[in-house]
Amino acid sequence: DAMVIQNPRYQVTQFGKPVTLSCSQTLNHNVMYWYQQKSSQAPKLLFHYYDKDFNNEADTPDNFQSRRPNTSFCFLDIRSPGLGDAAMYLCATSRPGGSDYSNQPQHFGDGTRLSIL
Amino acid sequence: AQSVAQPEDQVNVAEGNPLTVKCTYSVSGNPYLFWYVQYPNRGLQFLLKYITGDNLVKGSYGFEAEFNKSQTSFHLKKPSALVSDSALYFCAVRPTRDSGSARQLTFGSGTQLTVLP
């Protein structure tokens, strides 16, 4: 089945130690998103890619970076994790939907739960 | 900027009874509206969306939602609840292409639905 896969499901890192979360998709979708979700709160969009076009949200901390080497893969890099960065990180994809991808549903992976020691 | 309100943090309903999860929104121009469901330690799953046309939208697993423009609401409904429907439900809004507003998908705070056997 086509899907969005996030690895690992659980990640533990030390305060200040860089960590990378990965996301892959077999849906061949042009758009990929990274969200942060804390304690069953609403997901918060960090950034998204339309193909290789990177779109950063204004309030995403500089500590968070992303790479998309090809259509299938996208990475979230946290350069110096703080205790406040402990959360579930969700990757999602969507189709372009013609000229407006806003009306396309997003397909989510099962997330990576990040813990900071 | 757009916003979504889910006024109930928790909804309890007996199995077999109808359920309603409420959502109201605020957006410049016309909205795209979505419902997602999240089970514990899983990503969000798309249930249904309103783009245009018929105000009553039918989605997955027997869920439906009614778009009411005058009340700016998009309540999620199901005629007969199942215990397996117990989960966290998120309403989300995005302005349409022509609105000129930021086109990020904005989620409500979520409603925990518990269906009692």
Side-chain angles (χ1 to χ4, degrees), chain B residues 51-111:
Chain B
I51 303 300
T52 187
D54 194 347
N55 290 342
L56 183 63
V57 178
K58 293 188 183 295
S60 306
Y61 313 118
F63 284 94
E64 58 187 30
E66 186 163 12
F67 171 62
N68 187 317
K69 188 172 183 178
S70 63
Q71 297 185 4
T72 62
S73 68
F74 190 57
H75 302 329
L76 181 69
K77 299 183 179 184
K78 186 173 182 180
S80 179
L82 301 172
V83 172
S84 57
D85 292 330
S86 298
L88 185 59
Y89 289 80
F90 288 100
C91 181
V93 68
R94 215 169 184 175
T96 59
R97 181 177 180 81
D98 297 330
S99 73
S101 304
R103 294 168 62 230
Q104 176 189 134
L105 184 63
T106 298
F107 288 90
S109 56
T111 298

Short mmCIF file of all heavy atoms in Angstrom, two decimals, chain B residues 51-111:
data_model
loop_
_atom_site.label_atom_id
_atom_site.label_comp_id
_atom_site.label_asym_id
_atom_site.label_seq_id
_atom_site.Cartn_x
_atom_site.Cartn_y
_atom_site.Cartn_z
N ILE B 51 -15.24 21.51 -0.16
CA ILE B 51 -14.56 22.43 -1.07
C ILE B 51 -15.58 23.43 -1.63
O ILE B 51 -15.42 24.64 -1.51
CB ILE B 51 -13.88 21.67 -2.23
CG1 ILE B 51 -12.89 20.64 -1.66
CG2 ILE B 51 -13.16 22.63 -3.17
CD1 ILE B 51 -11.80 21.24 -0.81
N THR B 52 -16.62 22.90 -2.22
CA THR B 52 -17.68 23.72 -2.78
C THR B 52 -18.86 22.81 -3.06
O THR B 52 -18.74 21.59 -2.97
CB THR B 52 -17.21 24.45 -4.06
OG1 THR B 52 -18.22 25.36 -4.48
CG2 THR B 52 -16.96 23.45 -5.18
N GLY B 53 -20.01 23.40 -3.40
CA GLY B 53 -21.14 22.57 -3.80
C GLY B 53 -22.03 22.18 -2.64
O GLY B 53 -22.31 22.99 -1.74
N ASP B 54 -22.48 20.95 -2.64
CA ASP B 54 -23.44 20.45 -1.66
C ASP B 54 -22.93 20.67 -0.24
O ASP B 54 -21.79 20.31 0.09
CB ASP B 54 -23.68 18.96 -1.90
CG ASP B 54 -24.89 18.43 -1.16
OD1 ASP B 54 -25.40 19.14 -0.27
OD2 ASP B 54 -25.32 17.30 -1.47
N ASN B 55 -23.79 21.23 0.61
CA ASN B 55 -23.37 21.55 1.98
C ASN B 55 -23.17 20.31 2.84
O ASN B 55 -22.49 20.37 3.85
CB ASN B 55 -24.38 22.47 2.64
CG ASN B 55 -24.36 23.86 2.04
OD1 ASN B 55 -23.39 24.25 1.38
ND2 ASN B 55 -25.41 24.62 2.26
N LEU B 56 -23.81 19.21 2.48
CA LEU B 56 -23.66 17.97 3.25
C LEU B 56 -22.59 17.12 2.58
O LEU B 56 -22.74 16.72 1.42
CB LEU B 56 -24.98 17.22 3.32
CG LEU B 56 -24.96 15.94 4.18
CD1 LEU B 56 -24.66 16.28 5.62
CD2 LEU B 56 -26.28 15.20 4.05
N VAL B 57 -21.55 16.85 3.33
CA VAL B 57 -20.41 16.11 2.80
C VAL B 57 -20.35 14.75 3.50
O VAL B 57 -20.42 14.68 4.73
CB VAL B 57 -19.10 16.87 3.06
CG1 VAL B 57 -17.92 16.08 2.56
CG2 VAL B 57 -19.13 18.24 2.42
N LYS B 58 -20.21 13.70 2.72
CA LYS B 58 -20.08 12.36 3.30
C LYS B 58 -18.63 11.92 3.20
O LYS B 58 -17.95 12.20 2.20
CB LYS B 58 -20.99 11.39 2.57
CG LYS B 58 -22.48 11.69 2.80
CD LYS B 58 -23.37 10.61 2.23
CE LYS B 58 -24.84 10.98 2.41
NZ LYS B 58 -25.22 11.03 3.85
N GLY B 59 -18.18 11.22 4.26
CA GLY B 59 -16.79 10.83 4.29
C GLY B 59 -16.62 9.37 4.68
O GLY B 59 -17.52 8.55 4.53
N SER B 60 -15.45 9.09 5.21
CA SER B 60 -15.08 7.71 5.56
C SER B 60 -15.81 7.26 6.82
O SER B 60 -16.17 8.07 7.67
CB SER B 60 -13.57 7.62 5.78
OG SER B 60 -12.85 8.11 4.68
N TYR B 61 -15.96 5.94 6.95
CA TYR B 61 -16.46 5.27 8.16
C TYR B 61 -17.84 5.76 8.59
O TYR B 61 -18.16 5.73 9.77
CB TYR B 61 -15.46 5.46 9.32
CG TYR B 61 -14.03 5.18 8.94
CD1 TYR B 61 -13.06 6.17 9.01
CD2 TYR B 61 -13.64 3.92 8.50
CE1 TYR B 61 -11.76 5.93 8.65
CE2 TYR B 61 -12.32 3.66 8.14
CZ TYR B 61 -11.38 4.67 8.22
OH TYR B 61 -10.08 4.42 7.87
N GLY B 62 -18.64 6.22 7.65
CA GLY B 62 -20.01 6.64 7.95
C GLY B 62 -20.14 8.05 8.50
O GLY B 62 -21.24 8.46 8.89
N PHE B 63 -19.05 8.80 8.55
CA PHE B 63 -19.10 10.18 9.02
C PHE B 63 -19.60 11.12 7.92
O PHE B 63 -19.40 10.87 6.74
CB PHE B 63 -17.72 10.64 9.49
CG PHE B 63 -17.34 10.10 10.83
CD1 PHE B 63 -16.59 8.93 10.92
CD2 PHE B 63 -17.73 10.73 11.99
CE1 PHE B 63 -16.24 8.41 12.16
CE2 PHE B 63 -17.37 10.22 13.23
CZ PHE B 63 -16.63 9.05 13.31
N GLU B 64 -20.22 12.20 8.35
CA GLU B 64 -20.64 13.25 7.45
C GLU B 64 -20.52 14.58 8.17
O GLU B 64 -20.39 14.63 9.41
CB GLU B 64 -22.07 13.04 6.96
CG GLU B 64 -23.10 12.95 8.06
CD GLU B 64 -24.48 12.56 7.53
OE1 GLU B 64 -24.56 11.84 6.53
OE2 GLU B 64 -25.46 13.00 8.15
N ALA B 65 -20.51 15.66 7.40
CA ALA B 65 -20.43 16.98 8.01
C ALA B 65 -21.26 17.94 7.18
O ALA B 65 -21.39 17.78 5.96
CB ALA B 65 -18.98 17.45 8.08
N GLU B 66 -21.81 18.93 7.86
CA GLU B 66 -22.65 19.91 7.17
C GLU B 66 -22.01 21.28 7.23
O GLU B 66 -21.74 21.81 8.33
CB GLU B 66 -24.05 19.96 7.78
CG GLU B 66 -24.99 20.88 6.98
CD GLU B 66 -26.45 20.63 7.29
OE1 GLU B 66 -26.74 19.93 8.28
OE2 GLU B 66 -27.29 21.14 6.54
N PHE B 67 -21.79 21.86 6.09
CA PHE B 67 -21.23 23.20 5.98
C PHE B 67 -22.39 24.20 6.11
O PHE B 67 -23.38 24.11 5.36
CB PHE B 67 -20.53 23.37 4.64
CG PHE B 67 -20.11 24.78 4.34
CD1 PHE B 67 -19.20 25.43 5.14
CD2 PHE B 67 -20.61 25.45 3.24
CE1 PHE B 67 -18.78 26.72 4.86
CE2 PHE B 67 -20.22 26.75 2.94
CZ PHE B 67 -19.30 27.39 3.76
N ASN B 68 -22.26 25.13 7.04
CA ASN B 68 -23.27 26.16 7.22
C ASN B 68 -22.56 27.51 7.15
O ASN B 68 -21.89 27.94 8.10
CB ASN B 68 -23.99 25.98 8.56
CG ASN B 68 -25.16 26.93 8.72
OD1 ASN B 68 -25.06 28.11 8.39
ND2 ASN B 68 -26.27 26.43 9.23
N LYS B 69 -22.72 28.18 6.02
CA LYS B 69 -21.97 29.41 5.80
C LYS B 69 -22.42 30.53 6.73
O LYS B 69 -21.61 31.29 7.25
CB LYS B 69 -22.10 29.86 4.33
CG LYS B 69 -21.19 31.02 3.98
CD LYS B 69 -21.20 31.29 2.49
CE LYS B 69 -20.22 32.41 2.14
NZ LYS B 69 -20.16 32.66 0.67
N SER B 70 -23.73 30.64 6.95
CA SER B 70 -24.24 31.73 7.78
C SER B 70 -23.79 31.59 9.24
O SER B 70 -23.57 32.59 9.92
CB SER B 70 -25.76 31.78 7.71
OG SER B 70 -26.32 30.60 8.23
N GLN B 71 -23.65 30.36 9.69
CA GLN B 71 -23.19 30.13 11.07
C GLN B 71 -21.69 29.84 11.13
O GLN B 71 -21.17 29.59 12.21
CB GLN B 71 -23.98 28.97 11.70
CG GLN B 71 -25.47 29.26 11.82
CD GLN B 71 -26.22 28.16 12.55
OE1 GLN B 71 -25.64 27.20 13.04
NE2 GLN B 71 -27.54 28.30 12.62
N THR B 72 -21.03 29.87 10.02
CA THR B 72 -19.60 29.53 9.90
C THR B 72 -19.28 28.27 10.70
O THR B 72 -18.35 28.24 11.52
CB THR B 72 -18.69 30.69 10.33
OG1 THR B 72 -18.92 31.01 11.71
CG2 THR B 72 -18.91 31.90 9.46
N SER B 73 -20.06 27.24 10.43
CA SER B 73 -19.86 25.98 11.15
C SER B 73 -19.67 24.82 10.19
O SER B 73 -20.06 24.87 9.02
CB SER B 73 -21.06 25.70 12.07
OG SER B 73 -22.21 25.42 11.31
N PHE B 74 -19.05 23.77 10.72
CA PHE B 74 -18.80 22.55 9.94
C PHE B 74 -18.78 21.39 10.93
O PHE B 74 -17.75 20.79 11.20
CB PHE B 74 -17.47 22.70 9.19
CG PHE B 74 -17.21 21.61 8.17
CD1 PHE B 74 -18.10 21.36 7.14
CD2 PHE B 74 -16.04 20.87 8.21
CE1 PHE B 74 -17.85 20.38 6.18
CE2 PHE B 74 -15.77 19.88 7.27
CZ PHE B 74 -16.68 19.64 6.26
N HIS B 75 -19.94 21.07 11.46
CA HIS B 75 -20.03 20.04 12.50
C HIS B 75 -19.94 18.64 11.91
O HIS B 75 -20.56 18.36 10.88
CB HIS B 75 -21.35 20.18 13.27
CG HIS B 75 -21.54 21.51 13.92
ND1 HIS B 75 -20.49 22.28 14.40
CD2 HIS B 75 -22.67 22.22 14.19
CE1 HIS B 75 -20.95 23.39 14.92
NE2 HIS B 75 -22.26 23.39 14.81
N LEU B 76 -19.24 17.79 12.60
CA LEU B 76 -19.07 16.39 12.19
C LEU B 76 -20.16 15.56 12.85
O LEU B 76 -20.43 15.71 14.05
CB LEU B 76 -17.70 15.88 12.64
CG LEU B 76 -17.33 14.45 12.27
CD1 LEU B 76 -17.12 14.33 10.77
CD2 LEU B 76 -16.09 14.00 13.02
N LYS B 77 -20.75 14.64 12.06
CA LYS B 77 -21.84 13.85 12.59
C LYS B 77 -21.73 12.40 12.14
O LYS B 77 -21.10 12.10 11.12
CB LYS B 77 -23.20 14.42 12.12
CG LYS B 77 -23.45 15.84 12.58
CD LYS B 77 -24.81 16.34 12.16
CE LYS B 77 -25.02 17.77 12.67
NZ LYS B 77 -26.37 18.29 12.39
N LYS B 78 -22.36 11.54 12.94
CA LYS B 78 -22.49 10.14 12.56
C LYS B 78 -23.78 9.63 13.17
O LYS B 78 -24.05 9.87 14.35
CB LYS B 78 -21.30 9.32 13.04
CG LYS B 78 -21.31 7.88 12.55
CD LYS B 78 -20.03 7.15 12.92
CE LYS B 78 -20.04 5.74 12.37
NZ LYS B 78 -18.81 4.99 12.69
N PRO B 79 -24.63 8.94 12.40
CA PRO B 79 -25.94 8.54 12.91
C PRO B 79 -25.88 7.54 14.06
O PRO B 79 -26.73 7.56 14.94
CB PRO B 79 -26.62 7.91 11.68
CG PRO B 79 -25.86 8.42 10.51
CD PRO B 79 -24.45 8.62 10.98
N SER B 80 -24.87 6.65 14.05
CA SER B 80 -24.81 5.60 15.06
C SER B 80 -23.35 5.37 15.44
O SER B 80 -22.57 4.84 14.64
CB SER B 80 -25.44 4.32 14.52
OG SER B 80 -25.37 3.28 15.47
N ALA B 81 -22.98 5.77 16.65
CA ALA B 81 -21.58 5.71 17.07
C ALA B 81 -21.15 4.28 17.41
O ALA B 81 -21.94 3.47 17.91
CB ALA B 81 -21.37 6.61 18.28
N LEU B 82 -19.88 4.02 17.14
CA LEU B 82 -19.25 2.75 17.49
C LEU B 82 -18.16 2.99 18.53
O LEU B 82 -17.53 4.06 18.53
CB LEU B 82 -18.62 2.10 16.26
CG LEU B 82 -19.54 1.77 15.08
CD1 LEU B 82 -18.71 1.32 13.89
CD2 LEU B 82 -20.56 0.73 15.49
N VAL B 83 -17.90 2.00 19.36
CA VAL B 83 -16.82 2.12 20.34
C VAL B 83 -15.50 2.43 19.64
O VAL B 83 -14.67 3.22 20.13
CB VAL B 83 -16.71 0.85 21.20
CG1 VAL B 83 -15.48 0.89 22.09
CG2 VAL B 83 -17.96 0.66 22.04
N SER B 84 -15.31 1.86 18.46
CA SER B 84 -14.07 2.07 17.70
C SER B 84 -13.94 3.48 17.14
O SER B 84 -12.87 3.85 16.63
CB SER B 84 -13.98 1.06 16.55
OG SER B 84 -15.11 1.17 15.71
N ASP B 85 -14.99 4.30 17.25
CA ASP B 85 -14.90 5.70 16.84
C ASP B 85 -14.21 6.56 17.90
O ASP B 85 -13.90 7.73 17.63
CB ASP B 85 -16.30 6.28 16.59
CG ASP B 85 -16.98 5.67 15.38
OD1 ASP B 85 -16.27 5.27 14.43
OD2 ASP B 85 -18.23 5.60 15.39
N SER B 86 -13.97 6.01 19.06
CA SER B 86 -13.31 6.76 20.13
C SER B 86 -11.91 7.17 19.68
O SER B 86 -11.07 6.32 19.35
CB SER B 86 -13.22 5.90 21.40
OG SER B 86 -14.50 5.55 21.87
N ALA B 87 -11.67 8.47 19.66
CA ALA B 87 -10.41 9.01 19.14
C ALA B 87 -10.43 10.52 19.32
O ALA B 87 -11.40 11.09 19.82
CB ALA B 87 -10.22 8.65 17.68
N LEU B 88 -9.36 11.15 18.86
CA LEU B 88 -9.23 12.62 18.89
C LEU B 88 -9.56 13.15 17.50
O LEU B 88 -9.00 12.68 16.50
CB LEU B 88 -7.81 12.98 19.30
CG LEU B 88 -7.45 14.45 19.52
CD1 LEU B 88 -8.32 15.08 20.60
CD2 LEU B 88 -5.98 14.58 19.89
N TYR B 89 -10.47 14.09 17.44
CA TYR B 89 -10.94 14.62 16.16
C TYR B 89 -10.53 16.08 16.00
O TYR B 89 -10.71 16.90 16.91
CB TYR B 89 -12.47 14.50 16.06
CG TYR B 89 -12.90 13.06 15.90
CD1 TYR B 89 -12.97 12.21 16.99
CD2 TYR B 89 -13.22 12.54 14.64
CE1 TYR B 89 -13.34 10.88 16.85
CE2 TYR B 89 -13.59 11.22 14.49
CZ TYR B 89 -13.64 10.39 15.60
OH TYR B 89 -13.99 9.08 15.45
N PHE B 90 -9.98 16.38 14.82
CA PHE B 90 -9.53 17.73 14.53
C PHE B 90 -10.28 18.28 13.31
O PHE B 90 -10.36 17.63 12.26
CB PHE B 90 -8.04 17.76 14.19
CG PHE B 90 -7.13 17.53 15.36
CD1 PHE B 90 -6.56 16.28 15.57
CD2 PHE B 90 -6.84 18.55 16.24
CE1 PHE B 90 -5.71 16.06 16.65
CE2 PHE B 90 -6.00 18.34 17.33
CZ PHE B 90 -5.45 17.09 17.52
N CYS B 91 -10.79 19.48 13.47
CA CYS B 91 -11.34 20.26 12.37
C CYS B 91 -10.22 21.17 11.86
O CYS B 91 -9.38 21.63 12.66
CB CYS B 91 -12.53 21.07 12.87
SG CYS B 91 -13.37 22.08 11.64
N ALA B 92 -10.19 21.45 10.56
CA ALA B 92 -9.15 22.30 10.01
C ALA B 92 -9.71 23.16 8.88
O ALA B 92 -10.65 22.74 8.18
CB ALA B 92 -7.98 21.46 9.50
N VAL B 93 -9.14 24.33 8.71
CA VAL B 93 -9.61 25.26 7.69
C VAL B 93 -8.43 25.82 6.91
O VAL B 93 -7.32 25.98 7.44
CB VAL B 93 -10.42 26.42 8.32
CG1 VAL B 93 -9.54 27.33 9.17
CG2 VAL B 93 -11.12 27.25 7.25
N ARG B 94 -8.69 26.09 5.66
CA ARG B 94 -7.70 26.74 4.81
C ARG B 94 -8.45 27.69 3.90
O ARG B 94 -9.49 27.32 3.36
CB ARG B 94 -6.99 25.67 3.97
CG ARG B 94 -5.54 25.92 3.70
CD ARG B 94 -4.94 24.67 3.11
NE ARG B 94 -3.49 24.83 2.92
CZ ARG B 94 -2.70 23.87 2.51
NH1 ARG B 94 -3.19 22.68 2.24
NH2 ARG B 94 -1.41 24.08 2.36
N PRO B 95 -7.97 28.91 3.71
CA PRO B 95 -8.67 29.80 2.79
C PRO B 95 -8.46 29.35 1.36
O PRO B 95 -7.48 28.70 1.03
CB PRO B 95 -7.99 31.16 3.04
CG PRO B 95 -6.65 30.83 3.60
CD PRO B 95 -6.80 29.55 4.35
N THR B 96 -9.41 29.68 0.51
CA THR B 96 -9.27 29.32 -0.88
C THR B 96 -8.22 30.18 -1.56
O THR B 96 -7.77 31.19 -1.03
CB THR B 96 -10.60 29.48 -1.63
OG1 THR B 96 -11.02 30.85 -1.52
CG2 THR B 96 -11.66 28.59 -1.04
N ARG B 97 -7.86 29.79 -2.74
CA ARG B 97 -6.76 30.41 -3.46
C ARG B 97 -6.94 31.92 -3.62
O ARG B 97 -6.00 32.67 -3.58
CB ARG B 97 -6.65 29.75 -4.83
CG ARG B 97 -5.53 30.27 -5.69
CD ARG B 97 -5.47 29.51 -7.00
NE ARG B 97 -4.41 29.98 -7.84
CZ ARG B 97 -3.14 29.63 -7.71
NH1 ARG B 97 -2.79 28.81 -6.77
NH2 ARG B 97 -2.23 30.11 -8.52
N ASP B 98 -8.20 32.34 -3.79
CA ASP B 98 -8.42 33.73 -4.12
C ASP B 98 -8.52 34.65 -2.92
O ASP B 98 -8.72 35.83 -3.07
CB ASP B 98 -9.72 33.86 -4.94
CG ASP B 98 -9.60 33.12 -6.26
OD1 ASP B 98 -8.48 33.04 -6.78
OD2 ASP B 98 -10.64 32.63 -6.74
N SER B 99 -8.41 34.10 -1.72
CA SER B 99 -8.68 34.90 -0.54
C SER B 99 -7.58 35.90 -0.24
O SER B 99 -7.80 36.90 0.41
CB SER B 99 -8.89 34.01 0.67
OG SER B 99 -7.63 33.48 1.08
N GLY B 100 -6.36 35.59 -0.65
CA GLY B 100 -5.24 36.48 -0.35
C GLY B 100 -4.65 36.29 1.02
O GLY B 100 -3.63 36.88 1.33
N SER B 101 -5.28 35.47 1.86
CA SER B 101 -4.73 35.25 3.20
C SER B 101 -3.65 34.17 3.16
O SER B 101 -3.46 33.50 2.16
CB SER B 101 -5.83 34.80 4.15
OG SER B 101 -6.87 35.72 4.19
N ALA B 102 -2.95 34.02 4.26
CA ALA B 102 -1.99 32.93 4.37
C ALA B 102 -2.72 31.62 4.16
O ALA B 102 -3.81 31.42 4.67
CB ALA B 102 -1.35 32.97 5.75
N ARG B 103 -2.12 30.72 3.41
CA ARG B 103 -2.86 29.53 3.00
C ARG B 103 -2.47 28.29 3.78
O ARG B 103 -2.62 27.17 3.33
CB ARG B 103 -2.69 29.35 1.51
CG ARG B 103 -3.36 30.49 0.75
CD ARG B 103 -2.99 30.52 -0.70
NE ARG B 103 -3.42 29.31 -1.37
CZ ARG B 103 -2.62 28.60 -2.14
NH1 ARG B 103 -1.39 28.97 -2.33
NH2 ARG B 103 -3.07 27.51 -2.71
N GLN B 104 -1.94 28.51 4.96
CA GLN B 104 -1.62 27.39 5.84
C GLN B 104 -2.89 26.74 6.34
O GLN B 104 -3.91 27.40 6.57
CB GLN B 104 -0.83 27.93 7.03
CG GLN B 104 -0.49 26.92 8.10
CD GLN B 104 0.12 27.56 9.34
OE1 GLN B 104 -0.28 27.23 10.44
NE2 GLN B 104 1.05 28.47 9.18
N LEU B 105 -2.84 25.41 6.53
CA LEU B 105 -3.95 24.67 7.12
C LEU B 105 -3.93 24.92 8.62
O LEU B 105 -2.94 24.66 9.29
CB LEU B 105 -3.78 23.19 6.82
CG LEU B 105 -4.89 22.25 7.28
CD1 LEU B 105 -6.19 22.56 6.56
CD2 LEU B 105 -4.48 20.81 7.03
N THR B 106 -5.03 25.44 9.15
CA THR B 106 -5.13 25.75 10.58
C THR B 106 -6.05 24.75 11.25
O THR B 106 -7.20 24.58 10.83
CB THR B 106 -5.69 27.17 10.78
OG1 THR B 106 -4.78 28.11 10.19
CG2 THR B 106 -5.84 27.48 12.26
N PHE B 107 -5.54 24.10 12.29
CA PHE B 107 -6.30 23.08 13.01
C PHE B 107 -6.97 23.67 14.24
O PHE B 107 -6.46 24.60 14.87
CB PHE B 107 -5.37 21.95 13.48
CG PHE B 107 -4.87 21.07 12.38
CD1 PHE B 107 -3.68 21.35 11.73
CD2 PHE B 107 -5.58 19.94 12.00
CE1 PHE B 107 -3.21 20.54 10.72
CE2 PHE B 107 -5.11 19.10 11.00
CZ PHE B 107 -3.92 19.41 10.36
N GLY B 108 -8.13 23.10 14.58
CA GLY B 108 -8.71 23.37 15.89
C GLY B 108 -7.93 22.64 16.97
O GLY B 108 -7.00 21.87 16.68
N SER B 109 -8.34 22.84 18.21
CA SER B 109 -7.61 22.28 19.34
C SER B 109 -7.91 20.82 19.58
O SER B 109 -7.28 20.18 20.42
CB SER B 109 -7.93 23.08 20.61
OG SER B 109 -9.33 23.10 20.81
N GLY B 110 -8.89 20.29 18.86
CA GLY B 110 -9.20 18.87 18.98
C GLY B 110 -10.31 18.58 19.97
O GLY B 110 -10.49 19.29 20.96
N THR B 111 -11.08 17.55 19.68
CA THR B 111 -12.14 17.06 20.56
C THR B 111 -11.94 15.57 20.78
O THR B 111 -11.87 14.82 19.81
CB THR B 111 -13.54 17.31 19.96
OG1 THR B 111 -13.74 18.70 19.80
CG2 THR B 111 -14.62 16.73 20.86
#
